[in-house]
Amino acid sequence: MKKTNVMVCVTQQKTCERLILNGYRLVEAKKGKLYVIHVVNEKEKFLENVDDGEALEYLFGVSKKVGADLTVLRSKDIIKTMINFAENNHITHIIMGTPPNNGNGDNPSVGLRLQSALPNVEFILL
């Protein structure tokens, strides 16, 4: 049986705790490994306000409690960085929050772009 490796994509929001906990339940059921990542565009200010740092610190604590590392990466190309991380860590499942619907049909969501690049990965949108 192939090992289950779950990548949970979080933003700088405490509400991402539910994504981490769902990832943990999946990994626990399948005896796999949990990765929590946050990718920041290197052009953007990182932790621009105090709440961002507090939220990330909180998510770091949640990740630690469930035996996962929270990896924060800076990148020019967020999608490519996420794809590389998934490939390098043999990710089998990706858990993401559903993006807010901005009504822009021209720009495929991060999830859709990742799905087309990683066809063998199961995506779970919460």
Side-chain angles (χ1 to χ4, degrees):
M1 190 172 112
K2 197 168 113 178
K3 194 171 174 213
T4 300
N5 291 319
V6 178
M7 177 169 114
V8 178
C9 304
V10 298
T11 59
Q12 291 157 227
Q13 296 173 328
K14 288 185 178 180
T15 54
C16 290
E17 175 181 16
R18 69 189 173 85
L19 302 177
I20 297 169
L21 296 177
N22 273 285
Y24 173 69
R25 282 194 285 275
L26 180 62
V27 164
E28 200 179 36
K30 305 220 185 241
K31 303 286 179 248
K33 187 155 166 56
L34 181 62
Y35 299 87
V36 180
I37 75 160
H38 174 60
V39 185
V40 183
N41 186 323
E42 67 180 28
K43 289 187 206 98
E44 290 175 19
K45 280 196 172 137
F46 182 51
L47 304 180
E48 200 162 358
N49 64 49
V50 178
D51 293 344
D52 291 349
E54 188 187 308
L56 226 48
E57 192 68 35
Y58 176 78
L59 294 175
F60 178 76
V62 172
S63 299
K64 218 172 175 53
K65 262 191 243 167
V66 297
D69 289 322
L70 170 60
T71 304
V72 178
L73 303 168
R74 291 183 74 93
S75 171
K76 281 186 178 85
D77 186 341
I78 290 173
I79 304 285
K80 190 172 194 293
T81 299
M82 292 169 83
I83 291 166
N84 290 343
F85 187 94
E87 289 173 342
N88 292 340
N89 292 288
H90 311 287
I91 297 299
T92 56
H93 297 72
I94 292 180
I95 296 179
M96 308 177 81
T98 49
N101 186 355
N102 61 4
N104 183 355
D106 298 338
N107 187 7
S109 74
V110 170
L112 287 173
R113 289 166 63 192
L114 286 173
Q115 276 179 306
S116 64
L118 300 164
N120 299 323
V121 174
E122 186 178 323
F123 281 78
I124 301 164
L125 297 178
L126 301 170

